[in-house]
Amino acid sequence: MWILVLEGLLIGCLLGLTGAGGGILAVPALMTSQGWSVAQAAPIGLLAVTLSACVGMLQGLIKQIVRYKAALWIALISIPAAKYGIYLAKEIPALWLTLGFSLIMLWIAYRLLSNKISDFENAPCKVDQATGRFIWNFKTATILGGIGLVAGLMTGLLGVGGGFVIVPALRKATDLDMKSIVATSLMVIFLIGGISITINILEGFHYPANITLSFVLACILGMLIGRKITTFVSIQKVQTIFAITVIFVASYLLYSM
């Protein structure tokens, strides 16, 4: 049980720090510690990550750093894209999907570590410096919708991709600061995860009470710790942590091929 709690704390903390990393790490962690299959681990990992993201999202809303309109728009586009991604996953060999996604993540990590992921001066989606909110126009709606499209496709294709796509994409396409990016990503994760959890419940998935409660509470506590740490950690360090996480996950996917 202590291993389960420790896994939850680490995953929640990572999610709070970077706005990503939860789902793709929660599933293999539960599979390893509980001896479960993907089908058993995925719904519980999703529940823990979604509820943890909800806590981070509420904190961000209170601090007014969540760009909720952007999150709603990205999630709205992601959901139908995810359904199409599930269809494509049945048509494309899993080996090629995993290889392609791993290489994309390694490329993102390289750009993060080399500080080439952001271009604040020429960002196509700009924030009104007086209000801190996006200046909405056709270009902004199209680019943010495109982020939702890619995130949804990745989610459907591999069961991952939400935060790992959203965070670097917002970093590149907008002039939001990293704290707003993380908080906005958490809201998108919550919205998409909430729908998936509802589907799991309607399909009759049974959540084992003790294990689920322990893992969920540990993830939420980890989230609170991670969000607290962000007040003391520089944006550059958060970016580095995110890049290292991406490398770890990409390496894990390549190893599991």
Side-chain angles (χ1 to χ4, degrees):
M1 185 63 73
W2 285 109
I3 295 177
L4 184 72
V5 171
L6 180 60
E7 288 173 344
L9 286 171
L10 291 174
I11 290 167
C13 187
L14 181 65
L15 187 63
L17 274 171
T18 66
I24 197 171
L25 296 180
V27 173
L30 287 170
M31 291 172 64
T32 301
S33 66
Q34 304 303 312
W36 287 344
S37 66
V38 174
Q40 291 172 303
I44 295 172
L46 178 65
L47 178 65
V49 169
T50 301
L51 293 179
S52 300
C54 179
V55 173
M57 175 195 71
L58 291 174
Q59 286 186 325
L61 287 171
I62 291 170
K63 295 179 181 178
Q64 297 184 335
I65 59 174
V66 177
R67 304 280 60 88
Y68 62 90
K69 290 180 181 178
L72 288 168
W73 178 238
I74 292 171
L76 184 66
I77 301 297
S78 292
I79 293 166
K83 292 181 179 179
Y84 186 66
I86 293 172
Y87 167 76
L88 287 179
K90 298 176 182 178
E91 303 295 324
I92 303 174
L95 178 67
W96 289 109
L97 287 176
T98 304
L99 178 61
F101 186 58
S102 299
L103 293 176
I104 290 171
M105 287 198 295
L106 289 173
W107 177 73
I108 289 172
Y110 162 73
R111 292 182 65 83
L112 283 167
L113 291 174
S114 61
N115 203 29
K116 295 179 179 180
I117 200 71
S118 59
D119 188 0
F120 291 114
E121 293 183 0
N122 298 313
C125 303
K126 294 189 178 295
V127 171
D128 186 334
Q129 298 304 316
T131 63
R133 299 175 181 177
F134 277 117
I135 301 171
W136 282 93
N137 51 41
F138 180 77
K139 180 189 288 187
T140 298
T142 301
I143 291 174
L144 294 181
I147 292 173
L149 179 66
V150 175
L153 282 172
M154 285 296 181
T155 299
L157 281 168
L158 294 172
V160 298
F164 280 108
V165 172
I166 295 163
V167 172
L170 289 177
R171 185 78 173 147
K172 176 64 179 178
T174 76
D175 54 357
L176 282 175
D177 61 58
M178 194 63 182
K179 290 181 179 179
S180 288
I181 288 173
V182 170
T184 302
S185 173
L186 291 175
M187 184 171 180
V188 177
I189 291 170
F190 168 71
L191 292 171
I192 297 175
I195 292 173
S196 299
I197 290 169
T198 302
I199 293 172
N200 287 332
I201 293 173
L202 291 175
E203 291 180 349
F205 181 82
H206 175 68
Y207 291 90
N210 291 335
I211 293 176
T212 301
L213 184 62
S214 299
F215 191 64
V216 167
L217 291 178
C219 279
I220 291 174
L221 179 58
M223 162 66 70
L224 293 172
I225 294 171
R227 298 302 293 158
K228 190 68 175 178
I229 293 174
T230 57
T231 61
F232 303 103
V233 178
S234 67
I235 293 174
Q236 288 73 23
K237 288 184 179 178
V238 171
Q239 191 165 294
T240 301
I241 292 170
F242 182 82
I244 292 172
T245 303
V246 169
I247 292 172
F248 172 80
V249 173
S251 300
Y252 173 81
L253 288 174
L254 290 171
Y255 175 77
S256 63
M257 286 174 58

